[in-house]
Amino acid sequence: MKKTLVAFHSRTGYTRRVAESLARRLNADVDEIRVVRERAGLLGYLRCALEARGRYVPEILPARREPARYELVVVGTPIWAWCLSSPVRSYLRKHRRELKRVAFFCTMGGAGAENAFGDMTELCGKAPVVTLALTDREIDGRRHQAKLEPFAKALA
């Protein structure tokens, strides 16, 4: 059994940047949560907000890596309209029984982390080892590295 998987969804690239940086620190495998129907442009942005607020569960493509093969799965999500992103909602519902231990991180414009972490905990049926919330501004300014280090240490 492998140690750690970092599974994430990213529409704009912020969550991807954090996921890849975290995976390097942890020497973890990475799996992007991919949707069947892309959400690009302004209409895609509006659709994301509606799906998140409505707790929609969109169809996602099969995972490239099986979460059951990992001791720990770190799940990363963007915050959409102060809520958990719909693709991550789908992933957690689909893989709930396969997740042994979990940790969560989110990227956001400003708020919504606590709501998202609560939903993620409920969807998994287990509490996370640790959580991390990062703003887009922190990521742009590379100030997120100071928060990422203790998060990664808590997972090691």
Side-chain angles (χ1 to χ4, degrees), residues 1-45:
M1 181 173 301
K2 294 187 178 186
K3 187 170 169 95
T4 306
L5 173 67
V6 177
F8 73 96
H9 178 74
S10 186
R11 180 178 174 272
T12 61
Y14 285 101
T15 311
R16 175 188 311 282
R17 286 166 47 191
V18 174
E20 290 173 350
S21 180
L22 181 62
R24 280 191 301 276
R25 288 173 190 261
L26 298 173
N27 194 28
D29 290 337
V30 178
D31 195 8
E32 182 173 4
I33 300 166
R34 300 162 295 136
V35 291
V36 170
R37 188 170 170 199
E38 287 299 321
R39 288 146 177 78
L42 179 59
L43 290 178
Y45 174 81

Side-chain angles (χ1 to χ4, degrees), residues 10-151:
S10 186
R11 180 178 174 272
T12 61
Y14 285 101
T15 311
R16 175 188 311 282
R17 286 166 47 191
V18 174
E20 290 173 350
S21 180
L22 181 62
R24 280 191 301 276
R25 288 173 190 261
L26 298 173
N27 194 28
D29 290 337
V30 178
D31 195 8
E32 182 173 4
I33 300 166
R34 300 162 295 136
V35 291
V36 170
R37 188 170 170 199
E38 287 299 321
R39 288 146 177 78
L42 179 59
L43 290 178
Y45 174 81
L46 294 173
R47 181 173 180 202
C48 290
L50 291 172
E51 285 183 3
R53 298 295 292 176
R55 297 176 175 261
Y56 183 69
V57 182
E59 186 178 355
I60 58 174
L61 295 170
R64 292 182 175 147
R65 302 196 183 265
E66 297 176 37
R69 293 182 174 219
Y70 295 86
E71 296 171 21
L72 171 68
V73 179
V74 182
V75 182
T77 185
I79 300 298
W80 292 347
W82 305 279
C83 298
L84 173 64
S85 70
S86 56
V88 172
R89 178 178 302 282
S90 295
Y91 181 88
L92 293 175
R93 283 188 61 179
K94 183 175 185 175
H95 298 288
R96 170 188 181 117
R97 289 176 177 44
E98 301 168 48
L99 302 171
K100 293 165 188 63
R101 292 176 53 232
V102 295
F104 307 140
F105 74 90
C106 70
T107 60
M108 60 191 169
E114 293 308 314
N115 290 338
F117 293 153
D119 284 349
M120 293 168 86
T121 300
E122 184 180 318
L123 287 161
C124 288
K126 58 184 58 77
V129 173
V130 65
T131 62
L132 173 65
L134 297 167
T135 64
D136 297 349
R137 179 179 246 159
E138 288 173 318
I139 297 165
D140 281 338
R142 302 199 43 82
R143 292 187 309 275
H144 69 290
Q145 298 295 337
K147 288 184 174 181
L148 197 57
E149 189 62 36
F151 181 72

